[in-house]
Amino acid sequence: MKIIVAIKQVPEREAPVRIDAGGKWIEEANIQWAMNESDAYALEEALQLKEKHSGEVVVLSAGPERAGTTIREALAKGADRAIHIACDDLGDRDALGVARLLAAAIKPENPDLLLTGLQSDDLGYGQTGVILAELLGLPHASLILHVEKTDAGLTVKRELEEGWFQNIELPIPAVLSMQSGGSKLRYATLMGIKRARTKEVRTLSAAELAAPVASSVRLERIALPQKQKSTQILSGTAKETAAALVEKLKFEARIL
Amino acid sequence: MILFPATLAEPQHFSLWERLLFAGLVLLSITLFWRRFATVLRKILQSKRDADFRLFPLGRRMWDFFWEVLCQAKVIRQRPLPGIAHAFVFWTFCAFALVTLNHCAVGFGLGFLSSTSLAGRAYSYFAAAFAVACAGGILGLFVRRFLVRPRWLGQELSWESGFIALLIFVLMATYLAAFFVADVSPAARALWWLHSVALLTFLPVVPHTKHLHLLLSPATVFLSRGGFSHIPPLAGDEDFGLVAGTDLTRLVSLQAYSCVECGRCTEHCPAANTGKLLNPKEIVLGIRGYLNEYGPSSAEPLIGKYNPQEAPFQCTTCGACEFQCPVGIEHLPILVGLRRGAVNTGAWESDHGSRLFLALERGSNALGLPAGDRDKFIQKQQLPIFDGSQEYCLWLGCMGGYDPKGREIVADFARVMNYLGTSYGVLRKEKCTGDPVRRLGNDLLFQQLAESNLEMLSQSKVKKIVTICPHCVRTIQEDWKEFGTPPPVEHHSEFLARFVSQLPQVQGQEKIVYHDPCYLGRYRNVYQEPRTVVAHAGELLEAPRSHERSFCCGAGGGLAFLGEETGERVSHVRAAELAATGASTVGTACPFCNSMFRDAFAARGEDVPQLLDIAQLTARGLPNDAG
Ligand code: SF4
Ligand code: SF4
């Protein structure tokens, strides 16, 4: 089975977020970068499928040169080769624009399965996977936790609301948007990093792919969320405060 | 003074047949000896070279050799009675080198230590004195092994040891008896032959048994890597640690063949003492078994028949084994080497382990908490930010920056520094020093963490570091050296001990038992400083196992992050030992020990001693408005 995993490099979870002078993006100077979390789960699922059924895992990423480190990380974890779409204007493209780039690179590969993360941790559109399926004319399912290969195609486990799951069947080729947390991620190893050095990374330029840039969505400006602190201090005996806390967690925070 | 009148009988005039027989036996004995010894030597020499081995400077090596081999200092110090007995056997062997040479020469009529000459006679008395001590020593060791039978020598009686003891005893007895017979008597001849047979049996037995240590351990001690728990750098692109036979280095192989199976390592091992699979002696013997069966050129994985994977991952890296070993075996490079082999190749699968690694791949601390938590703590405590102008950089570490109890320790230490007017600051950003991943054998992560921290420190122009965590101290000072030049770092016990006289004494004589953290004691040789600090705050009590024999809290080696232990918990055993001293307070000097005992005491429930770090003990004496 040939699987393509589309990954994106995003600011590390702990990166200090400061809006740059243009007001449309964040200051990149002091930021460390990491693989988008749900993409990491997509990669893990692909690697597990390969381990079970053999085949090839190709990672695909669009982004500036720095995305190379995330691509190497994917190769180190076990992907066989990579395609890097070199493009410095990722921020100027909307989800459709990025999907067009990716689709152009995917088409000649003819994969059996295309995995993306559910959404990116920076922009969070959650659309790239869906649009890709449309552009490629392939069936699509999202919020996938687990993929099983069957004789007929795939059985996938989807996450629904409130702890419900849904198992559905799909033919292949197909596009799946993967949810985080479905499997256990593997750690990067020294051996993986060393082996990754010799793996193929093909760099394509955005121009080569001839995908139209024109955006249908224009980003006006970005802003930091207002900090809202609403500390409540519960008083009374331990028993009373515990009961009040449970009440609040259930009905206000809705996490119980 | 009574002069011993007898001279050592020296039989004369051996017949040709006797000479031929003796020559034949000598040849046979040497052949049998060499056949096995050469095999062992070959296996050692065929092992991979130790890339980082440097013979020079010789000073340390010569001192170790003199102190540990010639003086038998470690053997005696750590197990005094059997140690002395062993030392006498050893010294006698040295004294007997000449005697034995002369003995064989006599067989060919070439004896050179004439018992009539003054020198010869003096030497024979000298040797006889040792022979008496040695015979006594060997009897004592025999009684201990076969009648007292300490647990760590293993369940099974070693007949091999009994046989060797018998041979040595016969050698000594026949030597001594020869003082009481005449030169030409048949008795002298019989004694000579008995001595010869014992000697020629002894020789081939040596390389076939653990008595190989007689020949190898002097070299092992002399050639040891030095330092403590020194983890050698990986050599080249294909080195991932101890994966297969081809990864065994000469030092590892030499050490594996030197083990005398004394069980000192196991006796002190917290894992082996709490029902884990790990037994450091078996790890060493496992390597030896592997070498015997597969050899050093084999691609067969080291983890397998001879060493189960579970065992090395139960090690707290407390270093008790390495510290105790009388023949210079360095267990930690082997244990960490096996972990490296498993982790660097991805063969080790552990949910907790992966979680720790992923937390450090993506984040900054081993606890997996957002870095913002550390910022909040710094703000709340109003800790000054290091700007290059202060004397000390106060390194928080994962525990000091994120763990609630660790933060209390930092806060109190900061109060003390404020009181003393020390200029210090904390870094805006810090990453885990890499201690847990270093010990767990994840070289990729360790290198990343070490390099990015070193870079950060040099950018911040840090000149001196002080920290509350002995693991940080060790990792910064020793392990980072592989990737750069870390600034000097000291533990807060060393800092506090220097200034303790300027601090107000705590009132009352509270009984405080001090627990030596492995990474401060055995790893850094700091025993006295924290005691000075404790004594300033109350009455210092010692635990039954203290100083270099301190028993681990169970947290080291990344184990604090690996979840449930099998068997009994190391921390519970140690906590019970500390509580049993009757102290009202347990004084710690490591945030990991502190957190382990906190949980252990919580599990014990009522009536447990207080738990305070030495910084907290000190800060209690400060006036309320200080800091
Ligand atoms: S370092 Fe400590 S826990 Fe590990 S084997 Fe040695 S004695 Fe046991
Ligand atoms: S490794 Fe050292 S301490 Fe352990 S049994 Fe062997 S010789 Fe003794």
Side-chain angles (χ1 to χ4, degrees):
Chain A
M1 195 151 61
K2 179 168 175 180
I3 309 172
I4 294 190
V5 187
I7 57 171
K8 182 177 185 187
Q9 187 183 53
V10 295
E12 201 180 47
R13 203 171 25 191
E14 296 182 351
V17 177
R18 278 185 212 97
I19 294 171
D20 69 8
K24 293 190 178 180
W25 191 230
I26 52 171
E27 282 175 14
E28 291 198 354
N30 280 315
I31 285 189
Q32 290 193 325
W33 302 87
M35 191 186 302
N36 184 42
E37 189 176 21
S38 55
D39 298 355
Y41 282 94
L43 175 65
E44 179 62 41
E45 197 66 24
L47 294 173
Q48 289 189 13
L49 281 168
K50 181 188 131 181
E51 277 156 12
K52 252 186 251 151
H53 305 288
S54 82
E56 190 187 22
V57 173
V58 185
V59 290
L60 168 67
S61 184
E65 200 183 329
R66 59 169 159 77
T69 55
T70 298
I71 291 174
R72 285 280 162 219
E73 183 188 328
L75 292 175
K77 295 217 169 169
D80 299 286
R81 62 188 169 89
I83 303 171
H84 181 180
I85 303 173
C87 97
D88 292 327
D89 58 352
L90 208 58
D92 297 340
R93 295 171 194 254
D94 58 6
L96 177 62
V98 174
R100 279 189 177 133
L101 268 183
L102 297 177
I106 291 165
K107 259 187 201 134
E109 292 280 344
N110 274 320
D112 300 306
L113 184 60
L114 173 60
L115 301 182
T116 69
L118 185 68
Q119 59 185 18
S120 58
D121 296 343
D122 52 359
L123 291 173
Y125 291 147
Q127 292 184 28
T128 311
V130 192
I131 301 174
L132 262 178
E134 190 59 33
L135 292 175
L136 296 167
L138 297 176
H140 174 265
S142 70
L143 278 164
I144 307 302
L145 286 168
H146 185 61
V147 183
E148 198 86 51
K149 188 178 179 306
T150 60
D151 293 337
L154 304 169
T155 305
V156 298
K157 181 178 172 188
R158 293 190 64 221
E159 186 180 28
L160 303 180
E161 292 293 304
E162 300 203 315
W164 284 78
F165 297 103
Q166 181 186 37
N167 286 316
I168 54 173
E169 288 175 6
L170 276 96
I172 50 171
V175 183
L176 303 173
S177 304
M178 303 296 296
Q179 169 68 304
S180 296
S183 47
K184 287 176 185 137
L185 298 181
R186 64 195 64 197
Y187 56 91
T189 67
L190 188 66
M191 190 187 231
I193 293 282
K194 299 218 157 142
R195 299 277 185 269
R197 280 194 206 146
T198 55
K199 290 180 179 173
E200 176 197 308
V201 181
R202 194 149 53 95
T203 309
L204 302 172
S205 70
E208 249 173 286
L209 291 167
V213 192
S215 242
S216 46
V217 175
R218 212 176 63 240
L219 182 70
E220 283 291 341
R221 79 186 177 87
I222 57 171
L224 292 174
Q226 288 292 315
K227 261 206 186 133
Q228 266 189 351
K229 236 193 199 167
S230 51
T231 309
Q232 294 183 29
I233 296 184
L234 305 172
S235 55
T237 65
K239 223 181 189 154
E240 287 162 13
T241 48
L245 180 63
V246 169
E247 190 84 348
K248 295 210 179 276
L249 290 177
K250 253 192 197 151
F251 298 106
E252 282 179 29
R254 292 174 191 249
I255 56 173
L256 280 188
Chain B
M1 191 167 123
I2 307 163
L3 264 186
F4 187 60
T7 54
L8 184 65
E10 188 180 297
Q12 321 271 329
H13 313 300
F14 286 101
S15 69
L16 181 64
W17 288 115
E18 275 179 309
R19 287 183 187 188
L20 281 179
L21 178 63
F22 182 59
L25 286 177
V26 169
L27 218 64
L28 179 68
S29 174
I30 289 179
T31 313
L32 288 176
F33 164 83
W34 184 247
R35 279 229 322 242
R36 174 65 189 157
F37 190 57
T39 313
V40 170
L41 280 187
R42 227 184 1 258
K43 298 219 183 214
I44 295 172
L45 292 173
Q46 278 171 357
S47 301
K48 190 170 94 170
R49 299 183 78 91
D50 291 80
D52 64 326
F53 183 81
R54 303 275 172 280
L55 190 61
F56 297 96
L58 280 177
R60 182 213 25 114
R61 298 188 183 282
M62 277 156 50
W63 169 255
D64 285 353
F65 188 83
F66 169 75
W67 190 238
E68 287 178 26
V69 178
L70 298 184
C71 297
Q72 298 271 291
K74 206 172 206 180
V75 182
I76 298 173
R77 177 129 193 253
Q78 295 301 327
R79 274 188 189 169
L81 270 181
I84 296 262
H86 179 276
F88 274 118
V89 176
F90 168 74
W91 291 324
T92 307
F93 274 38
C94 297
F96 260 58
L98 211 56
V99 171
T100 303
L101 223 57
N102 182 57
H103 178 90
C104 296
V106 164
F108 299 108
L110 300 169
F112 51 85
L113 268 182
S114 157
S115 53
T116 49
S117 77
L118 189 62
R121 199 163 157 177
Y123 195 81
S124 69
Y125 286 168
F126 171 72
F130 274 106
V132 172
C134 174
I138 210 82
L139 267 178
L141 291 175
F142 184 87
V143 168
R144 171 168 172 273
R145 182 172 284 267
F146 289 91
L147 302 177
V148 182
R149 298 181 58 186
R151 190 163 49 87
W152 43 86
L153 287 178
Q155 288 297 310
E156 275 174 45
L157 282 182
S158 159
W159 297 111
E160 184 188 301
S161 303
F163 183 58
I164 288 273
L166 181 74
L167 285 178
I168 298 177
F169 190 75
V170 169
L171 283 171
M172 297 306 125
T174 48
Y175 182 74
L176 291 171
F179 281 99
F180 300 98
V181 295
D183 275 3
V184 286
S185 64
R189 239 183 174 68
L191 283 176
W192 185 91
W193 270 108
L194 201 56
H195 192 89
S196 304
V197 170
L199 184 69
L200 298 179
T201 314
F202 186 70
L203 185 66
V205 169
V206 166
H208 283 92
T209 62
K210 64 186 189 194
H211 294 84
L212 188 55
H213 81 279
L214 254 90
L215 300 162
L216 295 186
S217 68
T220 314
V221 169
F222 184 78
L223 295 172
S224 67
R225 291 186 187 84
F228 190 76
S229 178
H230 175 75
I231 313 296
L234 295 175
D237 273 352
E238 285 306 309
D239 189 357
F240 298 110
L242 300 180
V243 180
T246 43
D247 297 308
L248 295 173
T249 67
R250 290 179 178 176
L251 278 181
V252 173
S253 300
L254 171 66
Q255 294 183 359
Y257 277 113
S258 305
C259 172
V260 59
E261 300 172 38
C262 66
R264 290 174 191 229
C265 49
T266 305
E267 178 191 350
H268 293 269
C269 171
N273 277 291
T274 53
K276 316 284 191 282
L277 186 63
L278 170 62
N279 175 336
K281 168 170 136 184
E282 294 304 330
I283 295 275
V284 177
L285 295 182
I287 303 278
R288 182 195 289 181
Y290 179 98
L291 281 168
N292 281 337
E293 182 170 344
Y294 304 109
S297 317
S298 171
E300 179 74 20
L302 289 165
I303 294 284
K305 182 170 165 192
Y306 288 100
N307 276 312
Q309 187 178 82
E310 198 185 338
F313 284 96
Q314 292 175 331
C315 171
T316 68
T317 65
C318 74
C321 48
E322 187 165 319
F323 188 89
Q324 286 290 331
C325 183
V327 298
I329 292 173
E330 295 164 309
H331 298 71
L332 284 159
I334 298 178
L335 286 157
V336 174
L338 290 169
R339 289 173 164 197
R340 287 172 127 179
V343 171
N344 286 335
T345 59
W348 185 54
E349 284 176 24
S350 146
D351 286 353
H352 282 98
S354 304
R355 206 174 306 150
L356 170 70
F357 294 160
L358 288 165
L360 286 171
E361 276 174 31
R362 296 180 152 253
S364 58
N365 62 90
L367 278 63
L369 294 169
D373 286 12
R374 180 178 175 276
D375 303 337
K376 283 184 206 141
F377 166 64
I378 292 173
Q379 269 167 19
K380 185 158 165 256
Q381 284 302 322
Q382 301 179 336
L383 297 175
I385 297 293
F386 188 84
D387 58 15
S389 68
Q390 297 103 323
E391 182 178 4
Y392 285 97
C393 162
L394 172 60
W395 181 269
L396 299 186
C398 298
M399 293 301 271
Y402 298 89
D403 176 73
K405 190 76 196 238
R407 289 174 172 177
E408 286 172 23
I409 301 172
V410 166
D412 273 348
F413 181 51
R415 278 183 66 209
V416 177
M417 287 199 290
N418 292 343
Y419 178 83
L420 290 168
T422 311
S423 82
Y424 70 95
V426 299
L427 293 172
R428 259 183 219 291
K429 274 209 278 183
E430 235 181 43
K431 284 195 167 189
C432 170
T433 59
D435 169 66
V437 297
R438 170 63 151 186
R439 316 294 155 209
L440 280 169
N442 189 327
D443 284 280
L444 175 66
L445 257 183
F446 175 65
Q447 176 167 359
Q448 285 169 359
L449 292 169
E451 282 175 347
S452 91
N453 277 320
L454 277 163
E455 160 93 26
M456 216 141 61
L457 286 175
S458 87
Q459 274 176 5
S460 313
K461 308 211 171 13
V462 171
K463 304 270 169 348
K464 255 197 264 180
I465 298 179
V466 61
T467 176
I468 59 152
C469 177
H471 292 260
C472 292
V473 172
R474 153 72 198 210
T475 308
I476 293 173
Q477 183 104 80
E478 295 298 327
D479 298 87
W480 285 6
K481 272 192 205 150
E482 208 181 313
F483 305 106
T485 317
V489 42
E490 70 175 349
H491 185 245
H492 70 318
S493 63
E494 297 163 88
F495 178 94
L496 289 170
R498 263 204 312 281
F499 295 107
V500 82
S501 57
Q502 300 175 27
L503 293 167
Q505 188 119 23
V506 179
Q507 295 308 311
Q509 274 300 304
E510 183 181 355
K511 288 194 163 90
I512 308 170
V513 59
Y514 172 65
H515 164 80
D516 287 278
C518 307
Y519 276 66
L520 191 61
R522 282 186 291 266
Y523 274 73
R524 193 172 167 81
N525 250 317
V526 171
Y527 298 107
Q528 195 44 54
E529 289 87 339
R531 286 181 166 74
T532 309
V533 180
V534 170
H536 193 73
E539 183 192 340
L540 171 69
L541 296 190
E542 292 291 354
R545 290 179 281 190
S546 71
H547 293 83
E548 69 275 15
R549 295 175 151 233
S550 176
F551 193 72
C552 182
C553 73
L559 261 54
F561 304 100
L562 293 193
E564 269 305 320
E565 306 171 27
T566 53
E568 212 177 346
R569 286 196 181 193
V570 175
S571 59
H572 288 195
V573 173
R574 181 59 171 174
E577 181 179 340
L578 294 169
T581 57
S584 56
T585 300
V586 169
T588 60
C590 169
F592 281 102
C593 301
N594 202 305
S595 113
M596 295 310 271
F597 295 148
R598 184 195 337 161
D599 295 347
F601 284 143
R604 275 171 75 96
E606 304 296 309
D607 204 24
V608 289
Q610 276 197 84
L611 186 63
L612 290 172
D613 185 88
I614 50 168
Q616 297 173 292
L617 286 171
T618 315
R620 284 193 312 183
L622 299 181
N624 278 338
D625 55 352

